[in-house]
Structures are given as C-alpha cells and as structure tokens.
Amino acid sequence: MSSGTEHEERFRRVYAVNFEPLLAYAMRRVEQPEDAADVVAETFLVAWRRSREMPPEAEARLWLHGVARRVLANHHRGGARRGRLGDRLQQRFRAALAVDPGSEVPERLTVRAALARLNELDREVLMLTFWEGLEPREVAVVLQVSPAAVRTRLSRARARLRDLIGDDLDSPGHVLDVMAVRAPEEGR
C-alpha cells in the first residue's frame, strides 16, 4: 500500500467483512459476551498494528482467526491467573481475619488501652515491630528515623507498656503472648 488512506480503507474493508464472524468465533469460546467483545477488539488492535503483514483481503479472514486464537489463549491463561490470584487473596484475607480477633479478646483490649496511653511514636514502634513483624531497620525506614533510635525507642516503649499492663503473670489483663513475641533479630 502506498498511501495512508489506501491502508486505512483496506483495514476498514477487512474489519467490516470479518467483525461478525470473529465475534461469533469468540462468543463460542468464552463464557461472557463482554469477554468475546474484548477478544475481537484485541484481535483487530493486533491486526491494525501488524496490518503491513496482513495477507491480501481474500486470505485476511484466516489470518485474523489465527490472531484471535492466540488472543483467546492469552485470555484463558490470564483468566486462570486471575482466578488463582483471587483464591490466594481470599485465603490471605481469611487468615488475616482469623489471626487477630483483637476486639473480641479482653486481654487484647487491655493491651490496646495501654498502647493508647503511650505517645504516638512509641505506640507506632511497638505496633510495627510486633503486630506488623517489621525489623528495627524496616521500622526506621517507615518512621524516617535511624535504626538506633528505633531500637532505643522500642526498648523504652516495651518498658513503659510493661509498667502500664503490669509484670505479674497472674494479674488479670496480662497475657504473655500479646506483646511478648520475640522481636526479629537484626544484624547491626
């Protein structure tokens, strides 16, 4: 093709002749009509981008079916990946809900009340370390302070929290596992 207008006209003719057969082809191979429309749109996008490689109009239909077949294969692979990702996200969401029933456990409410009495930075250092599982160097990045400052604040915050909750293992409201999780080890 020598001019852009001829090129566009040829593409329009190929599109007009092949749109409905390709849509029917795609509809028979996907579950949702919207997916078929997406497959056909992607097929013609590929055809437009590669129109210089498209065979003469008489053979274009078979070429377009080949493109549509590959687009459908990508669509099915993508759907399977999205399904697996959705399943993993649902499992993680369920696990996250089951891990910390904080509002239902009185001991955790006691800890939350004690945390609320700490200053904001000490509370955040404790929560990022114990509840989010971050290492002091990671907490330092989040809070934009030095790792040494985090380690110092963590030590002081634990002591303040222990004072607020109490050190006696038999006293009501004290639960060893709530904040006694070992802090992650970190190389200095």
Side-chain angles (χ1 to χ4, degrees):
M1 298 278 137
S2 58
S3 76
T5 305
E6 288 177 32
H7 176 262
E8 287 178 25
E9 276 305 312
R10 176 177 180 245
F11 183 83
R12 288 174 203 248
R13 285 190 306 272
V14 168
Y15 179 88
V17 170
N18 291 290
F19 176 80
E20 287 184 19
L22 281 174
L23 183 59
Y25 173 85
M27 294 266 305
R28 288 187 287 273
R29 287 162 176 80
V30 295
E31 292 181 24
Q32 302 295 320
E34 297 83 11
D35 292 340
D38 290 345
V39 166
V40 172
E42 181 71 20
T43 299
F44 278 110
L45 178 62
V46 170
W48 175 257
R49 288 179 180 159
R50 297 180 57 202
S51 61
R52 305 271 185 220
E53 302 168 32
M54 191 184 322
E57 288 180 43
E59 300 169 23
R61 182 173 184 215
L62 298 177
W63 185 82
L64 286 169
H65 274 79
V67 171
R69 184 173 177 271
R70 289 184 289 281
V71 169
L72 277 163
N74 288 339
H75 170 77
H76 290 305
R77 279 192 301 272
R81 278 193 303 270
R82 283 188 297 277
R84 288 190 305 268
L85 176 60
D87 292 344
R88 283 196 311 267
L89 289 174
Q90 284 180 344
Q91 289 171 351
R92 283 187 176 178
F93 184 70
R94 280 189 223 113
L97 289 177
V99 169
D100 184 16
S103 63
E104 299 174 6
V105 178
E107 292 85 357
R108 297 209 180 211
L109 291 175
T110 301
V111 170
R112 285 183 188 269
L115 282 170
R117 293 177 59 197
L118 296 175
N119 71 48
E120 183 179 345
L121 192 54
D122 287 347
R123 180 174 50 248
E124 193 64 14
V125 166
L126 282 169
M127 292 172 73
L128 287 171
T129 301
F130 294 105
W131 287 355
E132 307 309 326
L134 299 182
E135 295 181 12
R137 66 179 165 72
E138 296 169 320
V139 174
V141 171
V142 171
L143 299 178
Q144 298 178 340
V145 297
S146 72
V150 169
R151 286 189 291 275
T152 301
R153 282 207 167 267
L154 181 59
S155 176
R156 290 178 185 164
R158 288 177 78 177
R160 287 186 194 120
L161 186 66
R162 204 173 9 258
D163 289 344
L164 290 170
I165 293 176
D167 223 4
D168 182 7
L169 293 178
D170 295 323
S171 66
H174 183 84
V175 173
L176 187 61
D177 73 334
V178 174
M179 292 300 285
V181 176
R182 285 185 48 134
E185 292 295 320
E186 172 179 60
R188 292 185 186 198

